Amino acid sequence: MTAGSTDTTSEGVHPRPRGGRMPRRERRVQLLESALEVFVAQGYHAAAMDDIADRAGVSKPVLYQHFPGKLDLYLALLDTSCDLIIDNCREALASTTDNRDRVTATMRVFYSYVASEEGAFRLVFESDLTSEPDVRERVDRVTTECASMIADVIRTDTGLPDEASELLAVSLVGMAQVSARFWLAGGGQIAQDDAATLIAGLAWRGIRGYPMTDDH
Amino acid sequence: MTAGSTDTTSEGVHPRPRGGRMPRRERRVQLLESALEVFVAQGYHAAAMDDIADRAGVSKPVLYQHFPGKLDLYLALLDTSCDLIIDNCREALASTTDNRDRVTATMRVFYSYVASEEGAFRLVFESDLTSEPDVRERVDRVTTECASMIADVIRTDTGLPDEASELLAVSLVGMAQVSARFWLAGGGQIAQDDAATLIAGLAWRGIRGYPMTDDH
DNA sequence: AACATCGTGGAGGTCAAGATCGGCGTGCAG
DNA sequence: CTGCACGCCGATCTTGACCTCCACGATGTT
């Protein structure tokens, strides 16, 4: 180990070598990668444009030649991450017609998303720029869209009213999202797939059998 | 005219009348109320100390004579709100020995919390200062503590291992928290108690009967 | 091999927002 | 009537972060 490390107070990150020149397209994606790392590690407000530029091994003007401002950069990354989870969620729901498998597949999507190396999920689930309407709209859209797709299935298969279906769907999304984040913070006490399966079991037991009223 | 009202950029809030003098203790609670309103409406970063002072009808120096800084003010409010939800959650769990009623009572706590007039829940569930460790610790503690109390019940009644109990409990908390926030945003399409009951039903169907494996 | 060109770098401007200092008015004791 | 104490305000300072201007060096051509 390069021990030490980890006091990320402000810089534990080593900038890339300073010299290289590179074509625009390639430079752009590299800047996006660097920005993602910094935003994930520090949050939006604590992240300085200097940090991002340094992290990429370039100076600030180049950064501004690729992106008009800090917010645009953030929104670009946020959009990518939002689209990723929504698309994966859609695919999971379409991957089978068995609802039990649907629940499991969707739960796995959330755990994979949270476990992904880059940590881009933090931009969506732990954003510190929710006061900005553009950000708020995108963040909310993740929950809303995922829940809406799930609600379609619930409504179709149970005949519950729209509002109830949506609310149930949102609660399943909340379950997935919060438990996945907590699982990640726990640091791997439970294997990823075991955790996803456990929570999927909980969700399926809850949702199956609607709209019959209940036990007694 | 006191009318005029307004254009504080985006505020429809009217400052309190400017003149009155007031004993320290009373002034302090009034400042806390004003600060809560502003933080709830704007978030931490967008909230300016000027806004809070204006909202209370005093000038900035007075504010600083009562609180050493912006963060201290925020943490005071945050602590109050965190303690409230945790205590209410504890009481709900202790209010009965029937687990089905426990689930319902706890779910109602979250919906009441979110529905409360002041909107203080936003400091906890929608904070934009998670990069600050003091804030992060308190926000996480709400989920952790609530889940821990629920996990005790789950572990006792099912014999599941600690990690699994905790994860299940956290997912229930996530379900409550996210669905309640979404319900509030929906603006009363469903009555508060109907929503809480609906989600409590989902949670109970999911959690009851553990640790039996599953369906068919 | 020498020159023109274009991208790069360090140093600086601007501005918003948190945090503070001398003066004012009011009420009370002597 | 007069001096004092207390709470309050307008005006200011400073910090920090976003965003651009003058020198340098590498690349492609003749």
Side-chain angles (χ1 to χ4, degrees):
Chain A
M1 300 312 162
T2 50
S5 53
T6 70
D7 43 67
T8 59
T9 354
S10 21
E11 304 314 312
V13 294
H14 10 220
R16 289 178 171 76
R18 194 72 178 208
R21 208 146 96 169
M22 94 177 34
R24 277 189 78 81
R25 194 63 52 85
E26 196 171 337
R27 176 68 82 189
R28 186 191 153 89
V29 312
Q30 189 224 7
L31 286 173
L32 281 169
E33 286 172 8
S34 300
L36 181 61
E37 293 171 27
V38 175
F39 281 135
V40 164
Q42 317 242 208
Y44 180 85
H45 294 286
M49 292 297 264
D50 302 85
D51 296 344
I52 296 172
D54 286 356
R55 184 77 189 79
V58 298
S59 81
K60 249 184 304 184
V62 262
L63 187 52
Y64 280 95
Q65 284 160 8
H66 285 265
F67 301 95
K70 191 185 184 184
L71 181 59
D72 308 83
L73 186 52
Y74 188 77
L75 286 178
L77 295 166
L78 184 61
D79 276 331
T80 303
S81 198
C82 289
D83 292 348
L84 178 68
I85 180 68
I86 291 174
D87 290 347
N88 287 356
C89 191
R90 187 191 332 275
E91 285 174 21
L93 288 169
S95 69
T96 175
T97 60
D98 180 72
N99 282 332
R100 189 186 204 287
D101 293 341
R102 275 202 177 107
V103 171
T104 304
T106 308
M107 197 61 67
R108 282 213 182 94
V109 163
F110 276 87
Y111 274 76
S112 295
Y113 179 59
V114 161
S116 98
E117 204 48 57
E118 310 89 16
F121 79 95
R122 293 191 191 276
L123 301 191
V124 180
F125 294 151
E126 299 175 13
S127 177
D128 61 341
L129 196 62
T130 52
S131 56
E132 185 69 29
D134 290 330
V135 174
R136 182 57 151 265
E137 186 263 340
R138 284 161 172 83
V139 167
D140 285 348
R141 207 165 62 84
V142 168
T143 300
T144 303
E145 293 255 327
C146 291
S148 179
M149 296 185 293
I150 296 170
D152 285 344
V153 178
I154 294 177
R155 193 181 330 102
T156 303
D157 291 354
T158 67
L160 286 170
D162 288 12
E163 293 82 7
S165 302
E166 286 283 341
L167 191 60
L168 288 170
V170 165
S171 76
L172 293 179
V173 171
M175 181 161 69
Q177 153 188 339
V178 173
S179 77
R181 290 206 294 125
F182 181 85
W183 164 79
L184 184 71
Q189 298 267 11
I190 307 185
Q192 175 177 338
D193 213 67
D194 293 343
T197 304
L198 180 68
I199 303 303
L202 179 68
W204 170 243
R205 284 159 174 273
I207 201 66
R208 78 172 208 194
Y210 266 100
M212 298 166 45
T213 47
D214 68 61
D215 66 321
H216 66 265
Chain B
M1 300 315 159
T2 52
S5 46
T6 95
D7 35 71
T8 57
T9 344
S10 51
E11 290 331 294
V13 295
H14 13 216
R16 287 177 173 77
R18 193 72 178 211
R21 211 142 91 158
M22 196 178 278
R24 281 189 74 83
R25 193 64 52 85
E26 195 173 338
R27 177 67 84 192
R28 186 192 154 89
V29 312
Q30 189 222 10
L31 286 172
L32 282 170
E33 287 173 7
S34 300
L36 180 60
E37 294 172 27
V38 174
F39 281 136
V40 163
Q42 318 243 184
Y44 180 85
H45 293 288
M49 291 297 263
D50 301 89
D51 296 344
I52 297 171
D54 286 356
R55 183 78 189 78
V58 298
S59 81
K60 240 185 316 183
V62 191
L63 189 51
Y64 279 95
Q65 284 160 8
H66 285 265
F67 301 95
K70 190 184 183 183
L71 182 61
D72 307 83
L73 187 50
Y74 189 77
L75 287 177
L77 296 165
L78 185 61
D79 275 332
T80 303
S81 198
C82 288
D83 292 347
L84 178 67
I85 180 69
I86 291 174
D87 291 346
N88 287 356
C89 191
R90 186 191 334 274
E91 285 174 20
L93 288 169
S95 70
T96 175
T97 60
D98 180 71
N99 281 333
R100 189 183 202 286
D101 293 342
R102 275 203 176 106
V103 171
T104 304
T106 308
M107 197 61 69
R108 283 214 181 94
V109 163
F110 277 86
Y111 275 76
S112 295
Y113 179 59
V114 161
S116 96
E117 205 48 60
E118 311 88 20
F121 77 95
R122 294 192 191 276
L123 301 192
V124 180
F125 294 151
E126 299 175 13
S127 178
D128 60 341
L129 196 62
T130 52
S131 57
E132 184 70 30
D134 290 331
V135 174
R136 180 59 148 263
E137 187 263 338
R138 283 161 172 83
V139 168
D140 284 348
R141 207 165 62 85
V142 169
T143 300
T144 302
E145 293 255 328
C146 291
S148 181
M149 296 185 293
I150 296 171
D152 284 344
V153 178
I154 294 177
R155 193 183 329 104
T156 302
D157 290 355
T158 67
L160 285 170
D162 288 12
E163 293 82 7
S165 302
E166 287 281 341
L167 191 60
L168 288 170
V170 165
S171 76
L172 293 179
V173 171
M175 181 160 69
Q177 151 189 342
V178 173
S179 76
R181 291 205 294 125
F182 180 85
W183 165 78
L184 185 71
Q189 297 268 10
I190 306 184
Q192 176 177 337
D193 213 67
D194 293 344
T197 304
L198 179 68
I199 304 303
L202 179 69
W204 171 242
R205 283 158 175 274
I207 200 66
R208 76 171 210 191
Y210 267 98
M212 298 167 44
T213 46
D214 67 62
D215 67 318
H216 79 275

